[in-house]
Amino acid sequence: MATNTIFFTPDNDIEEELKAEITEIFTASVDKPVITADLDDNQKRWLIIGICLQNILSPTLRNFTEPVVLNLYNYMKISHNIDTQTYPNQLQQYPKGRTRLNYEVINNNRTKPRVHKKPDVANFDYKVGNHVQFSKLFMKTFMAQYSAFDDTCDLSALLSLISSIDTFPQPVKKVAMQLRSDVRNPWAHCNFNEWDTISYQRSFQVLHQLIKCLNIPDETAILSELTKWETNGFFFLQGYAVDQHVVREIRKQTQVLAEYALKMSSGEDKTFEKVHEAMLKINGEIVSVCKRIDNIETNQQKQHTALKETNNDVNMLYERTSKIENVQIKQDKDIGRVITDIQEITRGVENLESKSTSTKHKLDELADEIKQTTEDVEIIKSDITEMKIDIDDFKIYMSKSKPIGKIFFYPPNRSEYFVAREKEMSYIKSSFGGKGNKNHTLVISGLGGCGKTTLATEFAWRSQEFYDGGVFWMSAESESSLEDSINTLAIDVNTSGKDFRETFKKTLNWFSNLTQRWLLVVDNADEEHLSDYTKELLNGSWKRNTIGHIIITTRRESNEIEESMMIKPEYCILLTIF
């Protein structure tokens, strides 16, 4: 009887290529850096207030002040002929405010030759030709360098006008004088040390109050713009997460402010020279940050391109895997046909006793080849599955001896009877593995004796190779036990101080400066009222931007954990008794 026998030989090169491609995909991921601005918080506050004064308040006050001054000038032309007056009958004082009028600042009177080192007032031109000249009469000479109610008219001149002229509403005058003394003048002096959080917040309060006092039609839009910059300032002060759009907007406004200060410093008001110098320095820092942001965007574009290429590789890998599966399906069909042929051959052998020995030998060889082919396919499938597991899993350390060459390894001896808990162990691995070098905290909670410490100990031993920076253990059962743990570590890392407070701060600072990934277990945080040191250890700002992972064991319930430790319930693992 004729038979059609098909033999399948697995391609070993496919297996090696699959391994190589999976390894390449696994090693392609990189962490994105965080850009921070190189300015201290006082400089940032000073800069944000300057932008608000120049770009929001000054244009608003120009629009508010000019109509009032124009109306008063027209009135003064009728009541006092201020546009045609001559010496010695000129108006010397403003009638209602008793402010002495400064005629030196108009009609080039200042350039007239002096007599005995005094202004030649008899030869001054006292005709006030327009409302801009009229407004200058209320100014000191060095402040009256503007030509219109435009960018040349700075905030100091506007506030001086509001304070000197009685026709402005009294609430506006009061808040304007407060803003000049508490905000504008300190800002112009460029003393960054004065710009603490309280001064910064008070400045925004006065700015909002003055805008509301003006009762102008576009009050809502102006207050919205002021609030926007207050929000920008909040993000700008967060040194660990500066938004790129905010930095570029601040850079733009910083350049505008620097150019304005340069233009104003060319006049007689020398305070703007100091402002211009400060703006140049700050603008240089902002430019540096923007360049770094541009570099990051370039790198992100490269990473995006690499990600697309990786995605293509994954798709290709999927297609090749599908092809292997199709080959396996085809092979199964071929095997079925082969088995049918074997059965037919077997029946033929029974009928052909004279050829039974030779035919049986051939059938045995054929069966062995089929079995070997099937085993090879199963091996390929198993290898692919194991490679996927290896990518997502830690390298587990199973010895009970302290790892050789591990300098910082402090967990207690591992239990010889650790069983089960593999679901919780897997969750801890995947949670910390997914965070990589980002700081992350998990809590293991449950009744006393349910195995919280044993689970944390076993994870610390298994994952010690994942934490190149070290595995640390601290007892928070009481304040004294925490002190013992801190002091023990401080001796090893040379952070001991003159008292425990200094030792505590120096040790946490040492943690925050570690450059390799580390694990810290805080065991038995069960005190009814956590001590200040325990709170600082669990929730302190020292953890910001560190590359460590923290496990806390406690008997507290999840709602208590969120309230006392500020850790969300989804990061809590509740253990029950077997």
Side-chain angles (χ1 to χ4, degrees):
M1 181 180 294
T3 60
N4 296 322
T5 304
I6 300 177
F7 297 93
F8 175 78
T9 302
D11 188 358
N12 292 330
D13 292 338
I14 294 179
E15 178 184 355
E16 295 300 322
E17 289 177 11
L18 286 174
K19 291 181 179 179
E21 289 174 358
I22 292 174
T23 303
E24 181 179 354
I25 294 171
F26 175 71
T27 57
S29 60
V30 296
D31 291 330
K32 296 182 180 179
V34 175
I35 285 299
T36 56
D38 298 327
L39 301 174
D40 62 43
D41 287 348
N42 290 347
Q43 289 176 315
K44 294 176 184 177
R45 298 186 189 101
W46 178 87
L47 175 60
I48 294 298
I49 293 299
I51 292 174
C52 293
L53 291 177
Q54 175 61 23
N55 296 338
I56 300 176
L57 184 61
S58 292
T60 302
L61 289 186
R62 292 188 194 109
N63 295 334
F64 173 78
T65 303
E66 185 172 15
V68 178
V69 174
L70 178 59
N71 290 336
L72 182 59
Y73 170 69
N74 291 332
Y75 170 77
M76 294 295 290
K77 286 196 298 182
I78 297 173
S79 62
H80 293 83
N81 298 318
I82 198 168
D83 58 330
T84 59
Q85 64 184 355
T86 59
Y87 182 83
N89 299 317
Q90 76 278 8
L91 182 66
Q92 295 186 7
Q93 289 184 334
Y94 178 57
K96 297 183 180 180
R98 298 301 178 186
T99 301
R100 187 170 184 82
L101 302 179
N102 181 13
Y103 289 98
E104 188 179 31
V105 298
I106 66 172
N107 299 327
N108 296 320
N109 288 336
R110 189 182 175 206
T111 63
K112 297 184 184 297
R114 291 177 172 260
V115 177
H116 303 297
K117 298 183 179 181
K118 294 184 179 181
D120 187 7
V121 296
N123 289 319
F124 276 9
D125 181 358
Y126 290 96
K127 299 180 181 65
V128 183
N130 54 55
H131 67 292
V132 177
Q133 286 189 340
F134 175 69
S135 69
K136 293 183 179 182
L137 299 182
F138 295 88
M139 304 288 170
K140 294 180 181 180
T141 302
F142 73 88
M143 296 173 58
Q145 303 302 313
Y146 54 93
S147 57
F149 282 90
D150 56 12
D151 290 345
T152 61
C153 183
D154 81 318
L155 181 61
S156 179
L158 295 167
L159 295 174
S160 179
L161 276 175
I162 294 174
S163 302
S164 302
I165 297 177
D166 65 300
T167 53
F168 288 101
Q170 190 60 33
V172 175
K173 293 168 65 69
K174 180 179 179 181
V175 180
M177 287 188 289
Q178 181 185 358
L179 187 136
R180 181 170 62 177
S181 62
D182 295 349
V183 182
R184 192 274 170 190
N185 289 347
W187 179 83
H189 294 157
C190 300
N191 186 355
F192 299 128
N193 293 330
E194 296 181 358
W195 289 93
D196 55 17
T197 302
I198 295 177
S199 299
Y200 179 72
Q201 293 175 345
R202 186 183 299 121
S203 297
F204 270 107
Q205 291 174 355
V206 176
L207 284 168
H208 278 277
Q209 186 179 1
L210 180 57
I211 297 299
K212 293 177 181 178
C213 286
L214 299 180
N215 290 323
I216 53 180
D218 52 351
E219 174 185 311
T220 301
I222 295 172
L223 289 176
S224 176
E225 184 69 11
L226 192 60
T227 301
K228 184 193 82 172
W229 275 103
E230 193 171 2
T231 304
N232 286 349
F234 171 79
F235 286 115
F236 191 45
L237 286 167
Q238 305 304 308
Y240 59 86
V242 179
D243 184 77
Q244 298 179 13
H245 174 74
V246 173
V247 172
R248 287 201 170 91
E249 181 68 15
I250 290 175
R251 177 187 177 186
K252 175 183 175 182
Q253 298 302 333
T254 302
Q255 289 175 329
V256 172
L257 197 55
E259 292 170 0
Y260 175 75
L262 176 63
K263 180 169 64 176
M264 296 302 294
S265 65
S266 61
E268 296 187 9
D269 190 351
K270 299 306 179 183
T271 59
F272 281 98
E273 293 182 357
K274 197 171 184 179
V275 173
H276 182 248
E277 291 176 0
M279 294 307 304
L280 285 180
K281 178 181 177 181
I282 291 177
N283 188 53
E285 298 289 354
I286 298 295
V287 169
S288 176
V289 171
C290 289
K291 288 181 179 178
R292 286 152 58 189
I293 289 176
D294 291 339
N295 290 337
I296 284 182
E297 289 180 341
T298 300
N299 291 336
Q300 287 177 336
Q301 185 60 39
K302 292 180 180 178
Q303 290 177 356
H304 179 70
T305 302
L307 184 61
K308 289 179 62 177
E309 294 176 352
T310 301
N311 188 53
N312 292 336
D313 292 340
V314 171
N315 291 335
M316 184 181 299
L317 179 61
Y318 176 78
E319 292 175 358
R320 301 183 69 174
T321 304
S322 298
K323 290 180 180 179
I324 291 178
E325 292 176 350
N326 292 335
V327 169
Q328 182 180 356
I329 293 173
K330 182 177 181 298
Q331 177 205 16
D332 290 340
K333 294 179 179 179
D334 293 340
I335 291 175
R337 288 196 296 269
V338 169
I339 293 175
T340 300
D341 292 343
I342 292 175
Q343 291 173 347
E344 293 178 356
I345 292 173
T346 302
R347 286 193 294 269
V349 168
E350 292 175 353
N351 297 327
L352 300 173
E353 294 179 351
S354 62
K355 300 181 179 179
S356 61
T357 302
S358 176
T359 303
K360 186 176 182 301
H361 177 70
K362 292 180 180 180
L363 288 175
D364 289 340
E365 291 179 348
L366 180 60
D368 290 338
E369 291 177 356
I370 293 172
K371 180 179 179 182
Q372 183 63 43
T373 299
T374 304
E375 290 175 352
D376 290 343
V377 171
E378 292 299 323
I379 290 173
I380 292 175
K381 292 171 63 178
S382 176
D383 287 346
I384 293 175
T385 301
E386 290 176 359
M387 283 187 287
K388 290 180 179 178
I389 294 174
D390 289 341
I391 290 173
D392 297 324
D393 204 358
F394 289 99
K395 184 175 182 181
I396 299 177
Y397 181 82
M398 297 305 296
S399 173
K400 293 182 174 60
S401 301
K402 179 179 178 181
I404 299 175
K406 198 75 171 183
I407 299 177
F408 302 117
F409 190 74
Y410 293 87
N413 292 334
R414 70 196 308 178
S415 172
E416 296 181 0
Y417 307 104
F418 180 82
V419 293
R421 302 297 189 198
E422 292 302 328
K423 178 181 178 181
E424 290 83 355
M425 182 71 70
S426 177
Y427 174 77
I428 298 174
K429 289 179 183 179
S430 62
S431 181
F432 283 151
K435 294 296 181 181
N437 284 344
K438 293 182 180 179
N439 181 267
H440 188 51
T441 301
L442 291 177
V443 176
I444 303 175
S445 65
L447 298 176
C450 69
K452 302 183 294 298
T453 301
T454 302
L455 176 60
T457 301
E458 182 65 20
F459 176 78
W461 277 84
R462 288 190 184 187
S463 60
Q464 58 87 17
E465 291 189 16
F466 184 68
Y467 295 103
D468 298 328
V471 178
F472 304 90
W473 192 280
M474 294 187 184
S475 173
E477 185 173 1
S478 63
E479 187 170 349
S480 60
S481 65
L482 179 62
E483 290 186 11
D484 290 342
S485 299
I486 292 292
N487 287 328
T488 299
L489 177 59
I491 293 172
D492 292 345
V493 301
N494 196 26
T495 57
S496 298
K498 61 184 179 182
D499 54 25
F500 178 70
R501 173 174 288 277
E502 181 178 346
T503 299
F504 183 75
K505 289 184 177 180
K506 290 174 68 175
T507 304
L508 292 189
N509 185 60
W510 179 83
F511 263 113
S512 65
N513 290 321
L514 286 176
T515 58
Q516 292 180 308
R517 184 170 48 236
W518 49 265
L519 173 68
L520 170 62
V521 179
V522 182
D523 193 27
N524 291 329
D526 299 327
E527 288 184 296
E528 181 178 358
H529 301 290
L530 297 178
S531 68
D532 291 339
Y533 292 119
T534 304
K535 290 179 180 178
E536 175 65 17
L537 177 64
L538 301 182
N539 305 320
S541 60
W542 67 274
K543 298 192 300 181
R544 186 180 300 161
N545 294 331
T546 60
I547 56 174
H549 298 157
I550 299 176
I551 296 177
I552 304 170
T553 69
T554 181
R555 297 181 183 181
R556 283 177 163 81
E557 296 183 356
S558 59
N559 58 336
E560 295 181 285
I561 294 170
E562 184 173 15
E563 180 179 348
S564 61
M565 301 180 183
M566 293 185 290
I567 297 175
K568 297 180 179 179
E570 56 260 36
Y571 298 134
C572 297
I573 303 171
L574 177 61
L575 294 189
T576 56
I577 298 176
F578 287 116

